[in-house]
Each structure stands twice: as structure tokens, then as C-alpha cells.
Amino acid sequence: MQNEPRTYRNSPFQIGLVVVLFLVLGIGFLASFNSSDLPWLIPMAGILGVTFLFVLFSMSAKTTLSESGISTQTLLGTKSLAWNEISRVSGSGNGIKLHNNFGDVTVAPRVQLPGYDEVVNMIGDKRPDLFNPIEYGEMSKSWLGTILLPVVGLLFIGFGFFLYDQTQDNLSPLIVFIIIGLVFGAMVFNQPRSVSIQGTSILIRYLFNRKTLSADEIASVDLRYTQTRNGKHYFIALTLANKKVVRISGVGPSLPIVYLVLRNWRRKNAGMGLTNP
């Protein structure tokens, strides 16, 4: 990393675009109501206003990295920690939170900021001791996370039958929703339920399957993402020596923590490596 601090933030153009979008929505919303709709207007305007403030709060956040530490800034203020002040990490989902020795200061970089993967890597580079593989023997997904996918799939299928019951003459919505539901249901079989570190190997458990990989079989461990309409979807990519990629997501305590633990484990057991130094 360069000696100059580096700041990760959304561009002013993106923030301005969001402001303009909400202004247009607000004007269109107000224009569609008349005086008799006043009882509905006030709560709906309130919901739109709260949504705007939440989006603006999220998009105005920024994270700054330097050789001395890390800081995050929002509309509510700035929080900073020197690298040597961080005593532990926590997190959930795709997030990571850094805690100081006294527990009164926490720094949590925004997941959807550009360059979030670089922020996670720098945290791991500066404080690798926080991600000791010995302390994270087994990292697993909650049963709620496992059950959620098939439940969502069943909801889609049920909604498809509801639409078919209403129309009776159009199978297309039913077929589409059944396919979507089956895709959600099938995802539970393809996603790991847990990752266990067992010396120089890791054991990846699926719902009805398991896979053992040695450190020498893994060419690199990377934090990657796919861009969707709902933002970035992060996952851990284990690139094997035969070029196949094993994807890991949804495993706790949080994806960045699991990623940095596995990265440290591979570095310790397979040397520094060629593709992921």
C-alpha cells in the first residue's frame, strides 16, 4: 500500500443521481394525490422521506485506510482506530466490525462501498493475528440460513399456483414461479453448510455431501463478488490447482472473517503461494 491514505467512497455523481431520482419520485408522488387523499399522503411521504435519508446516509459513508490505521465516516461523524488498537473482530453476513481494547470504539466499513474487498484484504494484511485458523476450527451456516432458501422457493411456487388459480387460462406465470422456486430450493444443496480446518486440510460440508481439500490443492483464496441489481454479492473463491473454483458464501461468523482465516490457513500450510501471495 502507498504511504498516502486511500479513501473509498461513492462518487459525488452517484450521490447526486440518487438525490435527483428521489426528487423526481417525490414530485410525481405529490402530483398523483389530491386533497381528499391527505390521510394517505402523510404516512406515504414519511416512508419516502425515511427511505431517502437511509439511502443518503449509506451512500455518503466512506472508509479511509492509511499505514497507521483505519477510519470510517458517516453523516453522524467519524470513527478511527490505529491498527495496533484493534483487539478483536466480529461481523455477520458480508460485514466486518473492528473493536478496540476497551470495547467503546468500533469501526465497520460499509459493505457496498467501491473497493470493499481491498479494505478487507488490508485489514487481514495489517492484523493477521486476528484471524488465527486455530481459533476458528469450524465455521458454519446457521440452520435459519439453510431453511430460508427452500422456504423462499416454496413461497414462489405457492404464489405461482395462486396466480394460476386466479387466471385459470395462463400457465406461463405458474411455470415461471415454479422454476424460480426450484432454483431457490436447489441452492441449498450447492452451498456449503460448514468449513472445518483440520490441520493441513479443510473439510467442506454440504447438506448431503462433503469435500476435503488440502492446502496444496488450493492455488489461491480470493474474495470476489458478482454485481446484481441489489448490489454486490460477495463470495469466497477457492481456486484449485486444476483451475476449478469452489465457492463459499453464507458461512459464519461473517464472510470476510472466514475469508481471512482461510487465507491465513493456506499461507501457513502451503507457503506463500504463486497466485495469492
Side-chain angles (χ1 to χ4, degrees):
M1 180 177 176
Q2 297 179 351
N3 292 328
E4 290 295 324
R6 182 167 182 179
T7 300
Y8 300 85
R9 71 181 89 189
N10 291 299
S11 70
F13 173 78
Q14 290 175 308
I15 298 176
L17 192 62
V18 169
V19 172
V20 171
L21 176 62
F22 271 92
L23 283 175
V24 172
L25 287 174
I27 294 172
F29 175 77
L30 292 174
S32 64
F33 282 84
N34 53 49
S35 58
S36 63
D37 296 320
L38 188 60
W40 292 98
L41 177 61
I42 295 176
M44 293 300 292
I47 293 174
L48 184 63
V50 170
T51 303
F52 169 71
L53 291 176
F54 175 78
V55 173
L56 184 63
F57 178 83
S58 298
M59 293 201 66
S60 62
K62 60 182 180 180
T63 298
T64 300
L65 300 178
S66 68
E67 287 298 321
S68 59
I70 178 173
S71 66
T72 57
Q73 182 177 344
T74 67
L75 294 176
L76 299 179
T78 302
K79 293 184 177 181
S80 301
L81 282 174
W83 295 118
N84 59 7
E85 291 179 321
I86 303 171
S87 63
R88 67 181 183 90
V89 295
S90 65
S92 61
N94 292 330
I96 186 170
K97 183 180 291 186
L98 313 175
H99 304 255
N100 71 342
N101 293 309
F102 302 102
D104 58 341
V105 178
T106 58
V107 173
R110 291 279 172 175
V111 175
Q112 292 300 331
L113 282 179
Y116 179 69
D117 52 331
E118 296 179 16
V119 173
V120 172
N121 277 301
M122 178 54 65
I123 293 171
D125 290 341
K126 288 296 185 179
R127 291 298 307 272
D129 56 299
L130 297 172
F131 309 96
N132 187 347
I134 297 177
E135 298 177 8
Y136 293 89
E138 177 169 317
M139 299 162 284
S140 60
K141 177 182 294 187
S142 67
W143 275 105
L144 178 61
T146 302
I147 296 172
L148 185 62
L149 288 175
V151 168
V152 172
L154 289 174
L155 288 175
F156 271 103
I157 294 174
F159 187 66
F161 277 103
F162 171 78
L163 290 178
Y164 177 71
D165 184 61
Q166 298 298 310
T167 59
Q168 291 293 328
D169 59 351
N170 189 356
L171 278 173
S172 298
L174 175 61
I175 294 174
V176 170
F177 279 100
I178 286 179
I179 292 174
I180 295 174
L182 291 176
V183 169
F184 271 97
M187 287 173 64
V188 74
F189 298 100
N190 297 323
Q191 291 188 355
R193 274 206 40 78
S194 67
V195 179
S196 303
I197 297 176
Q198 302 179 343
T200 60
S201 299
I202 57 172
L203 174 63
I204 305 175
R205 291 187 177 91
Y206 299 85
L207 192 60
F208 297 116
N209 193 18
R210 60 179 57 193
K211 180 182 299 183
T212 301
L213 296 172
S214 69
D216 291 331
E217 292 181 84
I218 302 173
S220 66
V221 180
D222 304 290
L223 184 62
R224 301 180 186 175
Y225 65 87
T226 55
Q227 188 71 50
T228 68
R229 288 183 298 177
N230 297 321
K232 295 177 180 177
H233 176 68
Y234 283 92
F235 63 94
I236 301 168
L238 306 181
T239 304
L240 308 183
N242 60 8
K243 305 302 181 183
K244 291 183 178 180
V245 176
V246 177
R247 293 173 55 137
I248 298 174
S249 62
V251 176
S254 80
L255 195 70
I257 294 176
V258 175
Y259 159 66
L260 293 173
V261 169
L262 291 178
R263 192 183 72 161
N264 283 351
W265 164 80
R266 180 189 168 273
R267 286 180 172 180
K268 179 180 179 180
N269 292 281
M272 296 299 291
L274 298 176
T275 59
N276 189 30

